[in-house]
Amino acid sequence: MAEYGIERLTGWGRTAATTARVAEPASLHEVIALLQAPRCRRIIARGLGRAYGDAAQNGGGVVARMIGLNRIRRIDADRALITADAGATLETLQRLALPLGLFPPAMPGTRHVTLGGAVAADVHGKDHHWDGSFAHHVTRLTLHTPTGARETGPDLDPEVFWATVGGMGLTGIITSVTVRMRPIPTGLIRQETQRCSDIDELMARMHTGDPRHRYTAAWIDATVTGAQLGRSVLTVGDWAILDQLARRRPAAHAERRVPSGLPVPTHPLGHLINPATTRAFNTLWYHKAPKQPATKLVSPHAFFQPLDALADWNRLYGPHGLVQYQFTVPYGPEGERTIRRCLELPAMMGCPPALAVLKRLGPGNPYLSFPRPGWTLALDFPAAAPGLNILLDRLDGAVLNAGGRLYLAKDSRSRPEVIAAMYPELDNWRVIRDRLDPHGILTSDQAHRLRLTTSAPAGRSRGETG
């Protein structure tokens, strides 16, 4: 049986810590035993803890850290399929697949994500407008629930599959995933970078670039308003073809080694990120970018996961942590006005985000999966910034009025009524979830805070350890 340890846990944002019993199952038998153990009347699975908020916390309950179940079970290079335990990471898939001329689909901004976490949050990347989210590339997964184990997929028990996708671990514990990898011609990305002077130019370039580029994302200087609102650096990319490599090696001979990130000091860094340093950095980054499109070949690590170059970069925000606010709004005039409003408000209220990233999304999935056609903007704030709660409440109102929604994998502070209004399929999802877990064993701090589950036990306290 998996051993328990008492730990105080947070998400990647390092806010709202709670204490739980933590077990690390090393086999399917231990996963089943955890779900059936009398002391596990409240349990949630956890991977590497990259959800920003409290989705993988369970104050007073049990957290099953799944990183011990991390074996690669099968690689079918001819069919571009990899089957692995849910605790295996995108980093492992990336390392194994590149020499085979394959690459993980829907790669998010960090490779330090487990396959189970990628499904539970239905992660997406810079290619969503072309390739959809991670779930679009999953052919099978094994789900262990309090009512038994089941294999599911988009064509096998699809109702349970789509409820699990984006379901934040509340339908069961995922133990294995089969994912269809992307064949790639080489192991390098042809990256094009260019400045955009304002939000109108940026949105126009992103709209026209969708049919031409698989990967698109824009960094925005959110410290400026007025005529310069939305000044930005747009980066697009596509896999380089052999003719573009000259003497560079193709994917079949790509390096297996994935570079490690440089360490960040473990001692508190104080208020290193504040309005003054944020303005200075954003100004420097904007002017450093080329005025005209500049193209170069870069590694997948540099293109997809630039922040991974700095291990534990979340510590830069100091001891109080950070809040990432990510939302999507539909395409069209109202959505574009909302993007502008959500860029203006933080600067006007003296609380500019340290980082702002804009992407475009394609077709979505049912129930609680976040992406759907529209713009998605992610804003990073120091959690201790004065007036932040008031600002985020105002942003909630703007997003809701535009028919938008927040990303549950990033949320750490929203309210039940806001999320219920943003996710109109929540009640339908609850019906499926309650059938899989009629006694509310699967729960989390986020599920409790947002009242996601109708059968979740009541009466918990934030720091409870019993």
Side-chain angles (χ1 to χ4, degrees):
M1 178 65 185
E3 296 293 327
Y4 294 94
I6 303 297
E7 292 188 32
R8 196 158 177 80
L9 300 172
T10 70
W12 186 246
R14 303 177 68 231
T15 62
T18 56
T19 302
R21 295 188 182 97
V22 177
E24 292 191 4
S27 68
L28 294 181
H29 297 295
E30 292 188 354
V31 172
I32 295 168
L34 282 173
L35 286 168
Q36 295 175 346
R39 68 172 61 185
C40 292
R41 293 302 88 191
R42 298 194 302 268
I43 187 170
I44 193 70
R46 181 183 176 97
L48 292 174
R50 286 298 177 120
Y52 278 63
D54 49 1
Q57 297 170 223
N58 191 15
V62 173
V63 171
R65 186 182 283 129
M66 299 296 291
I67 57 176
L69 286 170
N70 58 14
R71 288 181 56 190
I72 302 297
R73 299 290 175 171
R74 186 181 182 209
I75 299 177
D76 186 339
D78 293 334
R79 299 170 61 203
L81 293 173
I82 294 182
T83 299
D85 292 344
T89 65
L90 295 181
E91 177 177 21
T92 299
L93 261 62
Q94 185 172 328
R95 174 174 52 82
L96 294 176
L98 268 173
L100 302 174
L102 302 172
F103 196 76
M107 181 63 77
T110 177
R111 59 184 179 267
H112 303 302
V113 176
T114 63
L115 297 187
V119 173
D122 198 16
V123 299
H124 62 278
K126 300 176 181 179
D127 58 343
H128 193 277
H129 60 288
W130 271 46
D131 298 320
S133 62
F134 192 78
H136 285 105
H137 308 274
V138 173
T139 63
R140 286 288 183 274
L141 60 84
T142 304
L143 184 71
H144 286 261
T145 77
T147 55
R150 58 177 72 205
E151 190 167 323
T152 182
D155 59 350
L156 177 67
D157 204 357
E159 191 177 57
V160 169
F161 177 79
W162 293 115
T164 299
V165 167
M168 306 310 295
L170 298 170
T171 63
I173 297 179
I174 301 167
T175 56
S176 72
V177 180
T178 299
V179 58
R180 190 177 303 280
M181 308 293 282
R182 168 160 299 286
I184 56 176
T186 72
L188 295 174
I189 298 284
R190 186 176 185 271
Q191 173 182 289
E192 181 182 293
T193 306
Q194 182 182 4
R195 276 192 224 166
C196 295
S197 60
D198 57 37
I199 190 65
D200 291 329
E201 180 186 358
L202 173 62
M203 286 183 162
R205 289 187 179 278
M206 294 182 77
H207 175 71
T208 58
D210 272 5
R212 295 184 292 114
H213 299 291
R214 170 164 261 117
Y215 304 106
T216 306
W219 163 90
I220 297 178
D221 178 359
T223 66
V224 295
T225 58
Q228 291 184 306
L229 179 73
R231 72 176 184 180
S232 48
V233 178
L234 174 61
T235 302
V236 300
D238 298 278
W239 290 101
I241 60 175
L242 284 172
D243 290 347
Q244 295 169 336
L245 290 194
R247 297 181 181 179
R248 303 298 292 270
R249 291 177 293 176
H253 300 93
E255 290 290 340
R256 285 178 169 268
R257 181 177 174 272
V258 177
S260 300
L262 296 174
V264 171
T266 56
H267 62 274
L269 294 174
H271 299 286
L272 180 64
I273 295 179
N274 55 56
T277 59
T278 294
R279 281 191 293 271
F281 172 80
N282 276 266
T283 299
L284 176 65
W285 195 257
Y286 175 74
H287 289 288
K288 175 179 175 289
K291 294 181 180 179
Q292 300 300 321
T295 302
K296 64 179 179 179
L297 298 178
V298 299
S299 71
H301 323 302
F303 184 81
F304 292 105
Q305 306 122 5
L307 285 176
D308 281 352
L310 198 61
D312 298 324
W313 59 263
N314 55 343
R315 293 184 177 276
L316 295 174
Y317 285 80
H320 299 292
L322 75 145
V323 172
Q324 183 172 109
Y325 186 90
Q326 184 171 358
F327 67 90
T328 181
V329 288
Y331 292 126
E334 182 62 29
E336 293 179 5
R337 280 193 292 269
T338 303
I339 294 293
R340 291 183 178 90
R341 184 64 174 155
C342 292
L343 289 171
E344 288 172 336
L345 269 176
M348 291 169 54
M349 294 179 65
C351 189
L355 182 67
V357 175
L358 183 69
K359 298 196 294 284
R360 287 171 61 88
L361 301 177
N365 298 321
Y367 304 121
L368 300 190
S369 177
F370 166 74
R372 61 179 179 171
W375 301 95
T376 180
L377 180 66
L379 306 170
D380 284 10
F381 299 94
L388 180 61
N389 290 335
I390 296 173
L391 168 63
L392 296 182
D393 284 344
R394 293 181 67 179
L395 295 182
D396 280 354
V399 171
L400 187 55
N401 288 338
R405 60 175 49 165
L406 301 180
Y407 191 9
L408 292 178
K410 305 295 179 67
D411 177 64
S412 61
R413 36 65 55 193
S414 193
R415 297 187 301 276
E417 63 273 16
V418 173
I419 297 301
M422 290 177 171
Y423 285 86
E425 292 188 78
L426 178 58
D427 282 343
N428 294 332
W429 175 83
R430 284 172 173 151
V431 171
I432 302 167
R433 198 217 81 86
D434 289 352
R435 190 169 71 241
L436 298 169
D437 180 22
H439 301 296
I441 292 172
L442 295 155
T443 190
S444 66
D445 288 353
Q446 183 182 69
H448 184 70
R449 172 173 57 85
L450 297 178
R451 299 177 199 155
L452 295 177
T453 55
T454 56
S455 55
R460 294 169 52 194
S461 64
R462 202 76 166 128
E464 183 184 359
T465 60

